[in-house]
Amino acid sequence: MEKQIINTTNAPAPIGPYNQAVKAGSMLFISGQIALNAETGKLEQDDVIVETHRVMQNLRNILTEAGMDFSDVVKSTIFITDMNDFSQINEVYGKYFSGYFPARETVQVAGLPRGVNVEISMIAIK
């Protein structure tokens, strides 16, 4: 199985020893994305709604670079620091999909990189 590294300047550069995504055959594994704006290098954390939109835009940009879109996503993992934010995050997340939603879990964690409130990773297949 051929493995291809996917990186785009339209999403934040990795801040550690990993890639934005790895395509293995027809599957794409996207690393967790946070609300870092690739253009400005700044976190977008006005509120959890703004933050989640930026995360989803970063994910969309990586999917696009791989020749995919949200309709190709089969699995998402959402990490949040406060389960009280779940309904707002869920509402924003849902706006990026049409038709069938992927499988998903949402997990509350003690902390996330750079003090963000939400991080989302995805698996897609085409």
Side-chain angles (χ1 to χ4, degrees):
M1 178 182 316
E2 186 178 326
K3 185 168 74 171
Q4 176 187 1
I5 303 304
I6 304 293
N7 282 305
T8 176
T9 57
N10 295 323
I15 55 176
Y18 62 91
N19 289 291
Q20 290 171 340
V22 176
K23 192 171 183 181
S26 62
M27 297 184 72
L28 181 69
F29 300 86
I30 304 176
S31 296
Q33 295 298 302
I34 61 174
L36 192 59
N37 183 314
E39 193 173 305
T40 66
K42 296 184 180 187
L43 287 171
E44 294 183 4
Q45 289 184 286
D46 297 340
D47 58 45
V48 75
I49 292 171
V50 168
E51 190 172 347
T52 305
H53 274 296
R54 171 48 58 194
V55 170
M56 296 300 290
Q57 291 162 7
N58 289 341
L59 290 162
R60 180 181 54 218
N61 292 340
I62 294 168
L63 286 163
T64 300
E65 182 71 19
M68 297 182 176
D69 59 39
F70 285 112
S71 69
D72 299 310
V73 175
V74 296
K75 177 76 166 60
S76 297
T77 302
I78 301 176
F79 302 96
I80 60 179
T81 56
D82 186 346
M83 199 55 82
N84 292 317
D85 292 333
F86 175 77
S87 62
Q88 291 177 298
I89 292 167
N90 196 47
E91 184 176 339
V92 172
Y93 171 91
K95 291 178 180 179
Y96 287 82
F97 294 92
S98 59
Y100 298 102
F101 295 102
R104 183 187 84 189
E105 66 265 330
T106 303
V107 180
Q108 180 174 315
V109 296
L112 289 167
R114 301 187 76 172
V116 299
N117 299 299
V118 60
E119 178 176 354
I120 302 174
S121 64
M122 292 182 167
I123 299 171
I125 189 166
K126 190 155 192 118

